[in-house]
Amino acid sequence: MSGPVGTFCLVLHSHLPWLAHHGRWPVGEEWLYQAWAHSYLPVVDVVSRLASEGRQDLLTLGVTPVLAAQLDDPYCLRGLHDWLGGWLLRAHEAAPRLPDLAAHEHRAAAAALTDFETRWRHGASPVLRGLADAGAMELLGGPATHPFGPLLLPEVRAFALETGLADQTLRTGTRPAGIWAPECGYTPGMEDGYAAAGVRRFLVDGPALRGVTAFGRTVGTSDVVAFGRDLDVTYRVWSPRSGYPGGRDYRDFHTFDHASGLKPSRVTGKSVAPEAKQPYDPERAAAAVARDAADFVSVVRERLAGLRDQHGRPALTVAAFDTELFGHWWHEGPAWLEAVLRALPEAGVRVTTLRGATDAGLVGAPVDLPPSSWGSGKDWRVWAGEQVADIVALNDQVQKTLVSSTAPGRARDPLRDALAQEALLALSSDWAFMVSKDSAAGYARDRARTHAGHVEELAGLLAGGRRGAAARRIAHWAATPFGSVDSRGLAG
């Protein structure tokens, strides 16, 4: 057969909960600024440089509305600028003790500052919109605050999705036709809600398609296409046991020089104690990037060749990751991405977006999907298990209060809009995830309870006709992400 051996789609999911004004360190705004500096800036820079060479349809990028709001927020933009300056100062201070590392970090921090000051000072949306409009990538949307959809009331699920899609339309000028379903969560019937909202494609995890991910599949009787992560390909990178980021020559994420906060060591070995790890060597890391990029290209090509033989025509593989893996967790990840995106076409693999795959007809027969997610067990246990029963109960009450507090009307009501926004923040899937994974569980529970408490307090004041008191209470709450939440959407 002539032509490409098959099609590769890279999908990146960028998401953090609303962190501004809710703590600084170790969980809070520091989390946002680290991910922004080490992942969002360099990953977008890779896309921009490849696009400047005339390359198109490089990848599919999801930026959740709650993250996009922070990447455009003046307070967060000032905070990142300060953080980048602090990174540069930390590199200077480390120079007498760690000269090689300090020089490496100085170059990285200076480049990030220049990039931010020349392209990002007015927010992420102009940058992303320019790349999407130029055809370099496809932007995905999603529900406003990344709630776990299967556990939402149908009307709340529809409201969260519409709020998120409308927000992205305001930011980028185009209503997204594809979404990364939060946590790849699915329950039968969700495709009908997607179709009603104008969503034409979404992501599920590979096991939801019983591992048959060679083509997108329309779901049920709808024309909405589900694309599944090909775990055989994705886990070549994102596997805690054997993924590339654990390679001995890459920078170790967990080992710190505590005086500067910089990371001076390479992985060295999985069982090597932090104090015994070897110094980080950028040249060794660059050689590892080249080696692992070549290996991944070989894996993709072999996978697609096998699928072509199996199905009798060129097929598809979708590798999907959290964006924060590239640069934040895996320091060399952006360089690896660039090497892979350059090498795949040379190896006879077509690289495109989910939209491009759909337009190329890489869609198979309809399928009925089971309840699923990409979490532990590929079911709902992370967000609905016994360990988060308190958050599940809290979310149920938040939804009931939200629905019962909604009043139809011609004019917007800023107080009810504020109630809806606090409800959406309470319903973020992050809180249950952090508890289930025992990752800052106390912070997560506090955040969920704080937002849920605001919902109940505001609902009580509105029910009692105490609008003045409600407005005064809202004025004392931390700033919130959206200015466009319209609670009238819940009233039908």
Side-chain angles (χ1 to χ4, degrees):
M1 295 183 181
S2 60
V5 67
T7 295
F8 172 80
C9 289
L10 172 66
V11 186
L12 299 181
H13 176 55
S14 317
H15 170 67
L16 290 173
W18 181 252
L19 299 168
H21 312 283
H22 287 283
R24 293 295 300 247
W25 188 91
V27 182
E29 292 176 18
E30 177 75 10
W31 188 9
L32 170 66
Y33 301 143
Q34 286 183 4
W36 200 339
H38 298 315
S39 289
Y40 308 147
L41 290 179
V43 167
V44 170
D45 184 58
V46 167
V47 177
S48 298
R49 280 187 286 104
L50 293 175
S52 71
E53 300 171 8
R55 300 173 188 255
Q56 292 196 315
D57 294 332
L58 293 161
L59 55 83
T60 304
L61 179 67
V63 181
T64 61
V66 68
L67 175 60
Q70 293 173 95
L71 301 184
D72 285 344
D73 181 71
Y75 171 86
C76 295
L77 289 164
R78 287 193 299 272
L80 176 65
H81 195 235
D82 290 345
W83 192 94
L84 293 173
W87 179 16
L88 192 65
L89 290 174
R90 287 187 285 117
H92 289 176
E93 292 166 357
R97 295 178 299 104
L98 301 165
D100 292 341
L101 176 68
H104 175 76
E105 293 290 329
H106 178 275
R107 289 190 294 270
L113 266 168
T114 298
D115 188 25
F116 176 78
E117 291 175 346
T118 55
R119 289 197 296 177
W120 288 73
R121 283 303 295 271
H122 299 293
S125 290
V127 181
L128 299 179
R129 179 175 185 168
L131 290 171
D133 288 350
M137 64 184 185
E138 176 186 2
L139 286 175
L140 298 181
T145 56
H146 205 259
F148 189 68
L151 299 181
L152 298 183
L153 297 172
E155 58 268 45
V156 175
R157 186 190 304 150
F159 175 67
L161 178 59
E162 178 57 33
T163 299
L165 297 176
D167 187 78
Q168 181 166 326
T169 304
L170 286 173
R171 294 182 191 280
T172 66
T174 302
R175 187 176 173 93
I179 69 167
W180 181 300
E183 317 295 2
C184 292
Y186 174 81
T187 193
M190 285 180 69
E191 68 275 6
D192 296 327
Y194 293 153
V199 172
R200 311 263 46 95
R201 47 194 171 271
F202 68 104
L203 267 292
V204 295
D205 211 5
L209 290 167
R210 299 164 187 84
V212 184
T213 58
F215 301 97
R217 306 285 293 276
T218 54
V219 182
T221 60
S222 76
D223 61 356
V224 179
V225 178
F227 287 93
R229 289 200 310 159
D230 185 338
L231 298 189
D232 290 340
V233 172
T234 298
Y235 281 177
R236 192 75 174 194
V237 181
W238 199 356
S239 167
R241 293 180 296 277
S242 58
Y244 301 135
R248 65 183 182 275
D249 293 326
Y250 290 128
R251 193 175 77 175
D252 187 72
F253 176 81
H254 300 285
T255 305
F256 287 87
D257 170 57
H258 289 283
S260 65
L262 303 179
K263 298 175 182 177
S265 305
R266 55 186 172 93
V267 172
T268 310
K270 294 182 180 178
S271 59
V272 177
E275 63 273 12
K277 290 184 181 291
Q278 296 297 306
Y280 179 66
D281 183 342
E283 291 185 3
R284 290 181 68 120
V289 166
R291 182 175 62 246
D292 289 338
D295 179 75
F296 186 77
V297 170
S298 176
V299 167
V300 170
R301 181 174 172 80
E302 290 177 10
R303 174 68 164 164
L304 290 171
L307 291 173
R308 183 183 60 184
D309 293 343
Q310 178 183 350
H311 295 281
R313 65 179 177 117
L316 169 74
T317 181
V318 176
F321 309 94
D322 281 336
T323 307
E324 295 79 18
L325 171 66
F326 299 95
H328 177 51
W329 296 103
W330 181 19
H331 178 63
E332 299 79 9
W336 179 90
L337 276 180
E338 180 170 356
V340 165
L341 291 172
R342 289 185 181 280
L344 280 169
E346 298 172 359
V349 175
R350 181 192 180 210
V351 175
T352 191
T353 61
L354 296 183
R355 177 180 56 222
T358 304
D359 292 344
L362 293 170
V363 179
V367 65
D368 291 322
L369 297 174
S372 56
S373 80
W374 74 339
S376 301
K378 307 304 181 183
D379 54 24
W380 301 350
R381 70 186 67 175
V382 172
W383 301 276
E386 183 177 346
Q387 69 273 33
V388 290
D390 59 327
I391 292 181
V392 172
L394 197 69
N395 287 349
D396 287 345
Q397 183 57 49
V398 164
Q399 293 184 75
K400 292 175 184 176
T401 301
L402 173 62
V403 172
S404 65
S405 299
T406 301
R410 293 184 179 180
R412 288 185 61 170
D413 184 340
L415 301 181
R416 296 189 189 279
D417 292 349
L419 186 152
Q421 183 163 245
E422 288 296 315
L424 291 173
L425 290 168
L427 295 171
S428 169
S429 71
D430 299 272
W431 316 137
F433 178 88
M434 292 166 71
V435 171
S436 290
K437 299 298 182 181
D438 196 23
S439 171
Y443 176 88
R445 279 199 162 97
D446 286 346
R447 288 294 305 276
R449 290 167 180 162
T450 294
H451 295 299
H454 288 169
V455 171
E456 296 303 321
E457 180 182 12
L458 189 51
L461 291 171
L462 292 175
R466 301 176 60 194
R467 293 182 61 84
R472 289 190 293 273
R473 287 296 296 130
I474 292 170
H476 290 288
W477 295 347
T480 46
F482 304 112
S484 57
V485 174
D486 188 345
S487 61
R488 293 173 299 176
L490 273 164

